[in-house]
Amino acid sequence: MTTLTLPELAKKMAGIDFTMLQTHANGQIAGRPMSNNGDVDYDGDSWFFTMEDTDMVREISADPNVALGLTGSKSLLGKPPLFVHVQGRAALIRDRGTMAQHWVKDLERWFEQGVETPGLVLIHVHASRLHYWDGEDEGEIVV
C-alpha cells in the first residue's frame, strides 16, 4: 500500500474527464456519467452542470451523500488503469456567479444560453474520502 498526497493523486487524475456520479434513489443506488468539464485541478471538490428537473437533482436534494467513480486509461504497456472512488457530499448551486467560475465554452453544446440557461444547476461534490488503485499501488486519502 502506498501513500499518495491529494496533490499527487490529483496529478494522476488530471486526464480523467468522465466520472460516474452515484446517488441514493428510493433505497437503491443510481449512477450516471458526468463530465468534469476540464476542471481537473482536483482539490477534493468536483463540479458538474445539469438541469433542475432531473432525478439526480431530486435525489441529491433528498440525500446529499454521493459517490464518484473514476477510471483512467490502460497504459500502453498493459498496466492496469488508475481507479478512484470518492465519497462525498453534494450541494446544489444555483448562484450564476459561482456557475461562471466553473463554466467552459464547450458546455454550450448542452446549455446553449450559458450560465443563463433556465433551470441550470451546478452540483458541487466535496470529497470526504478517496480510495485509489493504480496498478499494484492502492491507498486512501481522508479530506
Side-chain angles (χ1 to χ4, degrees):
M1 181 180 247
T2 63
T3 305
L4 293 176
T5 64
L6 186 56
E8 290 168 338
L9 181 57
K11 186 175 181 179
K12 290 177 174 276
M13 292 170 61
I16 303 173
D17 181 22
F18 285 92
T19 180
M20 289 297 290
L21 172 59
Q22 300 162 344
T23 57
H24 297 272
N26 301 317
Q28 303 292 316
I29 297 173
R32 72 282 295 156
M34 300 292 288
S35 172
N36 66 30
N37 310 314
D39 203 350
V40 295
D41 292 328
Y42 190 74
D43 59 2
D45 291 316
S46 297
W47 305 89
F48 308 101
F49 285 92
T50 192
M51 296 302 293
E52 182 78 44
D53 189 27
T54 61
D55 289 337
M56 178 174 36
V57 168
R58 286 186 284 279
E59 292 159 7
I60 289 170
S61 294
D63 185 344
N65 294 300
V66 298
L68 304 174
L70 297 91
T71 304
S73 297
K74 185 169 61 170
S75 76
L76 294 176
L77 300 177
K79 179 181 173 188
L82 171 68
F83 297 94
V84 182
H85 180 263
V86 178
Q87 294 170 269
R89 290 185 63 83
L92 301 171
I93 310 294
R94 295 174 179 87
D95 175 71
R96 302 292 180 196
T98 303
M99 288 181 188
Q101 293 172 11
H102 297 281
W103 188 261
V104 294
K105 186 148 182 69
D106 291 345
L107 289 167
E108 291 173 9
R109 175 180 177 189
W110 292 279
F111 311 107
E112 293 179 2
Q113 297 176 36
V115 297
E116 298 304 322
T117 301
L120 187 66
V121 176
L122 179 62
I123 300 171
H124 171 212
V125 176
H126 180 69
S128 56
R129 182 177 305 228
L130 297 94
H131 291 94
Y132 61 87
W133 300 265
D134 188 15
E136 295 179 6
D137 297 331
E138 66 177 277
E140 176 181 276
I141 298 172
V142 177
V143 180

